[in-house]
Amino acid sequence: QVQLVESGGGLVQPGGSLRLSCAASRSIFNIDWMAWYRQGPGPERELVAAITKGGTTNYADSVKGRFTISRDNAKNTVYLQMNSLKPDDKAVYYCHLRDGILRSWGQGTQVTVSS
């Protein structure tokens, strides 16, 4: 099992930036796929951004051009740089990994965008 711990959430004004971090309890060098999801008022979690072991990324249309996912294998950490934040980005953001049959979720970090 791999434990994931998110950090970096908080309150920011519209147009501002935040960087979320997801620290893994062991090496992520060979982890196939890591991602950030978010959950707003509704029941479903939305895929925000994902990154493969080879560095390929994909993004939800709503965040393209504003958010950037990256991974630092030496630090066992995945990041989500969020720029030009909007009120609609308010949510709890979760880190998630998949590697074969291995699945893991973090506990989430709250992001609030408000003036």
Side-chain angles (χ1 to χ4, degrees):
Q1 186 62 290
V2 182
Q3 279 73 49
L4 302 174
V5 178
E6 301 98 333
S7 61
L11 173 64
V12 63
Q13 293 186 343
S17 298
L18 283 174
R19 188 176 80 157
L20 305 183
S21 299
C22 170
S25 60
R26 68 163 176 82
S27 174
I28 63 169
F29 182 80
N30 286 314
I31 298 293
D32 288 336
W33 192 83
M34 298 193 71
W36 287 94
Y37 283 74
R38 66 186 180 188
Q39 185 166 9
E44 295 185 359
R45 290 184 183 180
E46 171 194 20
L47 176 63
V48 175
I51 186 166
T52 69
K53 180 169 58 177
T56 301
T57 58
N58 65 282
Y59 297 91
D61 287 344
S62 59
V63 307
K64 281 181 181 176
R66 300 189 297 124
F67 291 11
T68 303
I69 188 171
S70 61
R71 60 195 287 170
D72 186 335
N73 292 333
K75 295 183 178 180
N76 301 332
T77 301
V78 175
Y79 301 100
L80 185 67
Q81 178 67 44
M82 306 186 295
N83 298 328
S84 302
L85 282 160
K86 305 174 182 179
D88 285 351
D89 296 318
K90 176 182 177 180
V92 178
Y93 285 71
Y94 296 91
C95 184
H96 179 56
L97 71 81
R98 299 178 190 172
D99 186 48
I101 63 171
L102 177 66
R103 302 285 188 273
S104 185
W105 288 94
Q107 83 289 349
T109 185
Q110 176 72 50
V111 172
T112 301
V113 185
S114 175
S115 55

